[in-house]
Coordinates of all heavy atoms in Angstrom, one line a residue:
A1 N 50.2 63.6 198.5 CA 50.7 64.3 197.3 C 50.0 63.7 196.1 O 49.9 62.5 196.0 CB 52.1 64.2 197.2
R2 N 49.6 64.4 195.1 CA 49.0 64.0 193.9 C 50.1 63.9 192.8 O 50.9 64.8 192.7 CB 48.0 65.1 193.5 CG 46.7 64.5 193.1 CD 45.7 65.7 192.8 NE 46.1 66.4 191.6 CZ 45.2 66.9 190.9 NH1 43.9 66.8 191.1 NH2 45.6 67.6 189.9
A3 N 49.9 63.0 192.0 CA 50.8 62.7 190.9 C 50.5 63.8 189.8 O 49.3 64.1 189.6 CB 50.7 61.3 190.3
V4 N 51.5 64.3 189.1 CA 51.4 65.2 188.1 C 51.6 64.5 186.8 O 52.4 63.8 186.6 CB 52.4 66.4 188.2 CG1 52.3 67.4 187.0 CG2 52.3 67.0 189.5
R5 N 50.6 64.7 185.9 CA 50.7 64.0 184.6 C 51.3 64.9 183.5 O 51.0 66.1 183.5 CB 49.3 63.5 184.1 CG 48.8 62.4 185.0 CD 47.4 61.8 184.4 NE 47.1 60.9 185.5 CZ 46.3 59.9 185.1 NH1 45.8 59.8 184.0 NH2 46.0 59.0 186.1
S6 N 52.0 64.3 182.6 CA 52.7 65.0 181.5 C 51.5 65.5 180.6 O 50.5 64.8 180.3 CB 53.6 64.2 180.8 OG 54.1 64.8 179.6
A7 N 51.7 66.8 180.0 CA 50.8 67.3 179.1 C 50.7 66.5 177.8 O 49.7 66.4 177.1 CB 51.1 68.8 178.7
S8 N 51.9 66.0 177.4 CA 52.1 65.1 176.2 C 53.0 64.0 176.5 O 54.2 63.9 176.3 CB 52.6 66.0 175.0 OG 52.8 65.2 174.0
P9 N 52.4 62.9 177.1 CA 53.3 61.8 177.5 C 54.0 61.1 176.3 O 55.0 60.4 176.6 CB 52.3 60.8 178.2 CG 50.9 61.3 177.9 CD 51.0 62.7 177.4
A10 N 53.5 61.3 175.1 CA 54.1 60.7 174.0 C 55.6 61.3 173.7 O 56.4 60.7 173.2 CB 53.3 60.7 172.8
L11 N 55.6 62.6 174.0 CA 56.8 63.4 173.7 C 57.7 63.6 175.0 O 58.9 63.6 175.0 CB 56.5 64.7 173.0 CG 57.6 65.5 172.5 CD1 58.5 64.7 171.5 CD2 57.1 66.7 171.8
W12 N 56.9 64.0 176.1 CA 57.7 64.4 177.4 C 57.5 63.3 178.4 O 56.6 63.2 179.2 CB 57.0 65.7 177.8 CG 57.2 66.8 176.9 CD1 56.3 67.3 176.0 CD2 58.5 67.6 176.6 NE1 56.9 68.3 175.3 CE2 58.2 68.5 175.7 CE3 59.7 67.5 177.2 CZ2 59.2 69.4 175.2 CZ3 60.6 68.4 176.8 CH2 60.4 69.4 175.8
P13 N 58.5 62.4 178.5 CA 58.4 61.3 179.4 C 58.6 61.6 180.9 O 59.3 62.5 181.2 CB 59.6 60.4 178.9 CG 60.6 61.3 178.4 CD 59.7 62.4 177.7
T14 N 57.8 61.1 181.7 CA 57.8 61.2 183.1 C 58.3 59.9 183.8 O 58.2 59.9 185.0 CB 56.5 61.7 183.7 OG1 55.5 60.7 183.4 CG2 56.1 63.1 183.2
S15 N 58.8 59.0 183.0 CA 59.3 57.7 183.5 C 60.8 57.8 183.7 O 61.5 58.8 183.4 CB 58.9 56.6 182.6 OG 59.5 56.9 181.3
K16 N 61.4 56.8 184.3 CA 62.8 56.7 184.4 C 63.5 56.7 183.1 O 63.0 56.4 182.1 CB 63.2 55.4 185.1 CG 62.7 55.4 186.6 CD 63.4 54.3 187.4 CE 62.9 54.4 188.8 NZ 63.8 54.1 189.8
A17 N 64.6 57.3 183.0 CA 65.5 57.7 184.0 C 65.3 59.2 184.3 O 64.9 59.9 183.5 CB 67.0 57.6 183.5
D18 N 65.6 59.5 185.5 CA 65.4 60.9 186.0 C 66.4 61.7 185.3 O 67.6 61.4 185.1 CB 65.7 61.0 187.5 CG 64.7 60.2 188.4 OD1 63.7 59.8 187.8 OD2 64.9 60.0 189.5
W19 N 66.0 63.0 184.9 CA 66.8 63.8 184.1 C 68.1 64.2 184.9 O 69.2 64.3 184.2 CB 66.2 65.0 183.5 CG 65.7 66.1 184.6 CD1 64.5 66.1 185.1 CD2 66.5 67.0 185.2 NE1 64.5 67.1 186.1 CE2 65.7 67.7 186.1 CE3 67.9 67.4 185.0 CZ2 66.2 68.8 186.8 CZ3 68.3 68.5 185.8 CH2 67.5 69.2 186.6
D20 N 68.1 64.4 186.1 CA 69.2 64.7 186.9 C 70.3 63.7 186.9 O 71.5 63.9 186.9 CB 68.9 65.3 188.3 CG 68.1 64.2 189.1 OD1 67.3 63.4 188.6 OD2 68.3 64.3 190.3
N21 N 69.8 62.5 186.9 CA 70.7 61.4 187.0 C 71.5 61.2 185.5 O 72.6 60.9 185.5 CB 70.1 60.0 187.2 CG 69.7 60.0 188.7 OD1 70.3 60.6 189.5 ND2 68.6 59.3 189.0
L22 N 70.7 61.5 184.4 CA 71.3 61.5 183.1 C 72.4 62.6 183.0 O 73.4 62.4 182.4 CB 70.2 61.7 182.0 CG 69.1 60.7 181.9 CD1 68.0 61.1 181.1 CD2 69.7 59.3 181.5
V23 N 72.1 63.7 183.6 CA 73.0 64.9 183.5 C 74.3 64.6 184.3 O 75.4 64.9 183.9 CB 72.4 66.2 184.0 CG1 73.3 67.3 184.2 CG2 71.2 66.6 183.0
K24 N 74.1 64.0 185.5 CA 75.3 63.6 186.3 C 76.3 62.8 185.4 O 77.5 63.0 185.4 CB 74.9 62.9 187.5 CG 74.3 63.7 188.6 CD 73.8 62.8 189.7 CE 72.8 63.5 190.6 NZ 72.3 62.6 191.6
G25 N 75.8 61.8 184.7 CA 76.6 60.9 183.9 C 77.3 61.7 182.8 O 78.5 61.5 182.4
L26 N 76.5 62.5 182.2 CA 77.1 63.4 181.1 C 78.1 64.4 181.5 O 79.3 64.4 181.0 CB 75.9 64.2 180.4 CG 76.3 65.1 179.2 CD1 76.9 64.3 178.1 CD2 75.1 65.9 178.8
Q27 N 77.9 65.0 182.7 CA 78.9 66.0 183.3 C 80.2 65.1 183.6 O 81.3 65.6 183.3 CB 78.4 66.6 184.4 CG 77.4 67.7 184.2 CD 76.9 68.4 185.4 OE1 76.5 67.8 186.4 NE2 77.2 69.8 185.4
D28 N 80.0 64.0 184.2 CA 81.2 63.1 184.5 C 82.0 62.8 183.3 O 83.3 62.8 183.2 CB 80.9 61.9 185.3 CG 80.4 62.3 186.8 OD1 80.7 63.4 187.2 OD2 79.8 61.4 187.4
A29 N 81.3 62.5 182.2 CA 82.0 62.0 181.0 C 82.7 63.1 180.3 O 83.7 62.9 179.6 CB 80.8 61.5 180.0
L30 N 82.3 64.3 180.5 CA 82.9 65.5 179.9 C 84.0 66.1 180.7 O 84.7 67.1 180.3 CB 81.8 66.6 179.6 CG 80.8 66.1 178.5 CD1 79.7 67.3 178.4 CD2 81.5 65.8 177.2
N31 N 84.3 65.5 182.0 CA 85.4 66.0 182.8 C 86.7 65.7 182.0 O 86.9 64.6 181.4 CB 85.5 65.2 184.1 CG 84.5 65.8 185.2 OD1 84.0 66.9 185.1 ND2 84.2 64.9 186.1
G32 N 87.5 66.7 181.9 CA 88.8 66.6 181.2 C 88.7 66.7 179.7 O 89.7 66.7 179.0
V33 N 87.4 66.9 179.2 CA 87.2 67.0 177.7 C 86.7 68.4 177.5 O 87.4 69.1 176.6 CB 86.1 65.9 177.3 CG1 85.8 66.2 175.8 CG2 86.5 64.5 177.5
I34 N 85.7 68.8 178.1 CA 85.1 70.2 178.0 C 85.6 71.0 179.0 O 85.9 72.2 178.9 CB 83.6 70.1 177.8 CG1 83.2 69.2 176.7 CG2 83.1 71.5 177.8 CD1 83.5 69.8 175.3
W35 N 85.6 70.6 180.3 CA 86.0 71.3 181.4 C 86.9 70.5 182.2 O 87.1 69.3 182.0 CB 84.8 71.7 182.3 CG 83.7 70.7 182.4 CD1 83.9 69.5 183.2 CD2 82.5 70.6 181.8 NE1 82.7 68.8 183.0 CE2 81.8 69.5 182.2 CE3 81.8 71.5 181.0 CZ2 80.6 69.1 181.8 CZ3 80.5 71.2 180.6 CH2 79.9 70.0 180.9
I36 N 87.6 71.1 183.1 CA 88.6 70.3 184.0 C 87.8 69.4 184.9 O 88.0 68.3 185.1 CB 89.5 71.3 184.7 CG1 90.4 72.1 183.7 CG2 90.4 70.5 185.7 CD1 91.2 73.2 184.4
K37 N 86.8 70.0 185.6 CA 86.0 69.3 186.6 C 84.6 69.8 186.5 O 84.4 71.1 186.3 CB 86.6 69.5 188.0 CG 86.0 68.6 189.1 CD 86.7 67.3 189.1 CE 86.1 66.4 190.2 NZ 85.4 65.3 189.8
D38 N 83.6 68.9 186.6 CA 82.2 69.5 186.4 C 81.8 70.4 187.5 O 80.7 71.0 187.3 CB 81.3 68.2 186.4 CG 81.3 67.3 187.6 OD1 82.1 67.5 188.4 OD2 80.5 66.4 187.5
A39 N 82.6 70.6 188.5 CA 82.1 71.7 189.5 C 82.3 73.0 188.8 O 81.7 74.0 189.3 CB 83.2 71.6 190.7
Q40 N 82.9 73.2 187.6 CA 83.0 74.4 186.9 C 81.7 74.8 186.3 O 81.4 75.9 185.9 CB 84.1 74.4 185.9 CG 85.4 74.2 186.4 CD 86.5 74.1 185.3 OE1 86.7 72.9 184.9 NE2 87.0 75.1 184.9
V41 N 80.7 73.9 186.1 CA 79.4 74.0 185.6 C 78.6 74.9 186.5 O 78.4 74.6 187.6 CB 78.8 72.8 185.2 CG1 77.4 73.0 184.6 CG2 79.6 72.0 184.2
C42 N 78.2 76.1 186.0 CA 77.4 77.1 186.8 C 76.0 77.2 186.4 O 75.1 77.7 187.2 CB 78.0 78.4 186.7 SG 79.7 78.5 187.4
H43 N 75.6 76.7 185.3 CA 74.2 76.9 184.8 C 73.9 75.7 183.8 O 74.8 75.4 182.9 CB 74.0 78.2 184.1 CG 72.6 78.4 183.5 ND1 71.6 78.8 184.2 CD2 72.2 78.1 182.2 CE1 70.5 78.8 183.4 NE2 70.9 78.4 182.2
A44 N 72.7 75.2 183.8 CA 72.3 74.1 182.8 C 70.8 74.3 182.6 O 70.1 74.5 183.5 CB 72.6 72.7 183.3
D45 N 70.3 74.3 181.3 CA 69.0 74.1 181.0 C 68.9 72.7 180.4 O 69.5 72.3 179.5 CB 68.7 75.1 179.8 CG 68.6 76.5 180.3 OD1 68.1 76.7 181.4 OD2 69.0 77.5 179.5
V46 N 68.0 71.9 181.1 CA 68.0 70.4 180.8 C 66.5 70.0 180.5 O 65.6 70.5 181.3 CB 68.5 69.7 182.0 CG1 68.4 68.1 181.7 CG2 70.0 70.1 182.3
W47 N 66.3 69.2 179.5 CA 64.9 68.5 179.4 C 65.1 67.2 178.9 O 66.1 66.9 178.1 CB 64.0 69.4 178.6 CG 64.4 69.7 177.2 CD1 64.2 69.0 176.1 CD2 65.1 70.8 176.8 NE1 64.6 69.6 175.0 CE2 65.3 70.7 175.3 CE3 65.7 72.0 177.3 CZ2 65.9 71.7 174.6 CZ3 66.3 72.8 176.6 CH2 66.5 72.7 175.2
K48 N 64.3 66.3 179.2 CA 64.3 65.0 178.7 C 63.1 64.8 177.8 O 62.0 65.1 178.1 CB 64.2 64.1 179.9 CG 64.1 62.6 179.6 CD 64.0 61.7 180.9 CE 62.6 61.8 181.5 NZ 62.4 60.8 182.6
Q49 N 63.4 64.3 176.6 CA 62.4 64.2 175.5 C 62.6 62.9 174.7 O 63.8 62.6 174.4 CB 62.4 65.4 174.7 CG 61.4 65.6 173.7 CD 61.4 66.9 172.9 OE1 62.4 67.7 173.1 NE2 60.4 67.2 172.2
F50 N 61.5 62.2 174.4 CA 61.6 61.1 173.5 C 62.0 61.5 172.1 O 61.7 62.6 171.7 CB 60.4 60.3 173.4 CG 60.1 59.5 174.6 CD1 58.8 59.6 175.2 CD2 61.0 58.6 175.1 CE1 58.5 58.8 176.3 CE2 60.6 57.8 176.2 CZ 59.4 58.0 176.7
A51 N 62.8 60.7 171.4 CA 63.2 61.1 170.0 C 61.9 60.8 169.2 O 61.0 60.0 169.5 CB 64.3 60.1 169.5
D52 N 61.8 61.5 168.1 CA 60.8 61.4 167.2 C 61.3 61.0 165.8 O 62.5 61.0 165.6 CB 59.8 62.6 167.1 CG 60.4 63.9 166.8 OD1 61.5 63.8 166.1 OD2 59.9 64.9 167.1
H53 N 60.5 60.9 164.8 CA 60.9 60.6 163.4 C 61.8 61.7 162.8 O 62.5 61.4 161.9 CB 59.8 60.3 162.6 CG 58.8 61.4 162.3 ND1 57.8 61.8 163.2 CD2 58.6 62.2 161.3 CE1 57.2 62.8 162.8 NE2 57.6 63.1 161.7
D54 N 61.7 62.9 163.3 CA 62.5 64.0 162.7 C 63.8 64.2 163.4 O 64.7 64.8 162.8 CB 61.7 65.4 162.8 CG 60.5 65.3 162.1 OD1 60.3 64.7 161.0 OD2 59.5 66.1 162.5
R55 N 64.1 63.6 164.5 CA 65.3 63.8 165.2 C 65.9 62.5 165.7 O 65.0 61.7 166.2 CB 65.1 64.8 166.4 CG 64.7 66.2 165.9 CD 64.6 67.1 167.0 NE 65.9 67.4 167.5 CZ 66.2 68.2 168.4 NH1 65.3 69.0 169.0 NH2 67.5 68.5 168.8
P56 N 67.1 62.2 165.5 CA 67.6 60.9 166.0 C 67.8 60.9 167.5 O 67.6 61.9 168.3 CB 69.0 60.9 165.4 CG 69.4 62.3 165.2 CD 68.1 63.0 164.9
E57 N 68.0 59.7 168.1 CA 68.3 59.6 169.5 C 69.5 60.2 169.8 O 70.4 60.3 169.0 CB 68.3 58.1 169.9 CG 67.1 57.3 169.7 CD 67.3 55.9 170.0 OE1 68.5 55.4 170.1 OE2 66.3 55.1 170.1
G58 N 69.8 60.7 171.0 CA 71.0 61.2 171.4 C 71.0 62.3 172.4 O 69.9 62.5 173.0
V59 N 72.1 62.9 172.6 CA 72.2 64.0 173.5 C 72.7 65.3 172.7 O 73.6 65.1 171.8 CB 73.2 63.7 174.6 CG1 73.4 64.8 175.6 CG2 72.8 62.5 175.4
E60 N 72.1 66.4 173.0 CA 72.6 67.6 172.4 C 73.2 68.6 173.5 O 72.5 68.8 174.5 CB 71.5 68.4 171.7 CG 71.8 69.6 171.0 CD 70.6 70.1 170.2 OE1 69.9 69.5 169.6 OE2 70.5 71.4 170.3
V61 N 74.5 68.9 173.3 CA 75.2 69.7 174.4 C 75.7 70.9 173.7 O 76.3 70.9 172.7 CB 76.4 68.9 175.0 CG1 77.1 69.8 176.0 CG2 75.8 67.6 175.6
T62 N 75.4 72.1 174.3 CA 76.0 73.4 173.9 C 76.7 73.9 175.2 O 76.2 74.1 176.2 CB 74.9 74.4 173.5 OG1 74.1 73.8 172.4 CG2 75.5 75.7 173.0
V63 N 78.0 74.3 174.9 CA 78.7 74.9 176.1 C 79.2 76.3 175.7 O 79.7 76.5 174.6 CB 80.0 74.0 176.4 CG1 80.9 74.6 177.5 CG2 79.6 72.5 176.7
S64 N 79.0 77.1 176.6 CA 79.4 78.5 176.4 C 80.2 79.0 177.6 O 79.9 78.7 178.8 CB 78.2 79.4 176.3 OG 77.3 79.0 175.3
E65 N 81.2 79.8 177.4 CA 82.0 80.4 178.4 C 81.2 81.6 179.1 O 80.7 82.4 178.3 CB 83.4 80.8 178.0 CG 84.2 81.3 179.1 CD 85.7 81.6 178.6 OE1 85.9 81.4 177.3 OE2 86.5 82.0 179.4
L66 N 81.1 81.6 180.4 CA 80.5 82.6 181.0 C 81.5 83.9 181.2 O 82.6 83.6 181.5 CB 79.9 82.3 182.4 CG 78.9 81.2 182.4 CD1 78.6 80.8 183.8 CD2 77.7 81.7 181.7
A67 N 81.1 85.1 180.9 CA 81.9 86.2 180.9 C 82.1 86.7 182.4 O 81.3 86.4 183.3 CB 81.4 87.4 180.2

């Protein structure tokens, strides 16, 4: 298998931590806060990106109820 390189490694990191592991921790932290149990989550758009000078470090979460 060949390694895939990021188009812009300065902004789109391909190093640890894996985005799916970051999401697991976030979903667990929001249990009992946003939802009863993270099993209720049916859809997620996720990306991992380095902070730049225009945006601070952190996590941005938008939660919407599905109809």
